Amino acid sequence: GAGVSQSPSNKVTEKGKDVELRCDPISGHTALYWYRQSLGQGLEFLIYFQGNSAPDKSGLPSDRFSAERTGGSVSTLTIQRTQQEDSAVYLCASSSPTRVQETQYFGPGTRLLVL
Amino acid sequence: SQKIEQNSEALNIQEGKTATLTCNYTNYSPAYLQWYRQDPGRGPVFLLLIRENEKEKRKERLKVTFDTTLKQSLFHITASQPADSATYLCALDKAGYSTLTFGKGTMLLVSP
């Protein structure tokens, strides 16, 4: 079946602009995660959605970052007033309702470059 | 504070040899530990999960050990192939949280 998809695959923007990154999780997966991976760095957890529960936003680096998940499926990560340090690969992952804390399936990521 | 450490230096080995990668952690009491593979330009791919009450887990040419006393996991690839060249990440769950914390990964380069 289809895996996790993300769009766009690449995004170049100017400092100060807002960007929206989209994630389509695997159908039926109730858990959805956003991570950020900067060059040479590990995955940095940003936000976690599980079903209808309030999201875990503990990893969001500033109030310029927000995310929504509509209808328990597609998620959008929004970065307002982008800064150069926001340049990174943004990865989305989802996991099955029966294995929420276990295997995560990752999308290919969105490479964001802020000029 | 909690820390996950993986060798930042790339591991270079010859085809056919066994590759051994290390994941050390401090101030964690994970219920399980996972290993992922990441190729350039792609998202990580799940390989193996080992629980705290398991000493060893195998899958084809892969073997993972988990020593909760040493707070260490070893990841072995036997009969390595150039196609095994990638970055390997370990990840731990965090008690009370539904998320994983990832190490920075170790790059493995297998030469023909």
Side-chain angles (χ1 to χ4, degrees), chain B residues 8-48:
Chain B
S8 56
E9 287 184 21
L11 176 64
N12 285 274
I13 64 166
Q14 208 165 8
E15 184 175 9
K17 303 287 187 189
T18 296
T20 298
L21 305 175
T22 305
C23 176
N24 294 301
Y25 60 93
T26 55
N27 298 323
Y28 270 98
S29 295
Y32 53 85
L33 184 149
Q34 302 185 29
W35 284 89
Y36 286 76
R37 168 185 173 140
Q38 187 173 24
D39 291 281
R42 295 181 178 262
V45 174
F46 170 78
L47 296 175
L48 278 169

Side-chain angles (χ1 to χ4, degrees), chain A residues 37 48 101-102 104 111, chain B residues 32 34 36 38 41 51 97:
Chain A
Q37 189 172 34
Y48 160 65
Q101 289 177 289
E102 299 185 6
Q104 295 187 14
R111 281 145 201 81
Chain B
Y32 53 85
Q34 302 185 29
Y36 286 76
Q38 187 173 24
R51 299 183 190 282
Y97 291 82

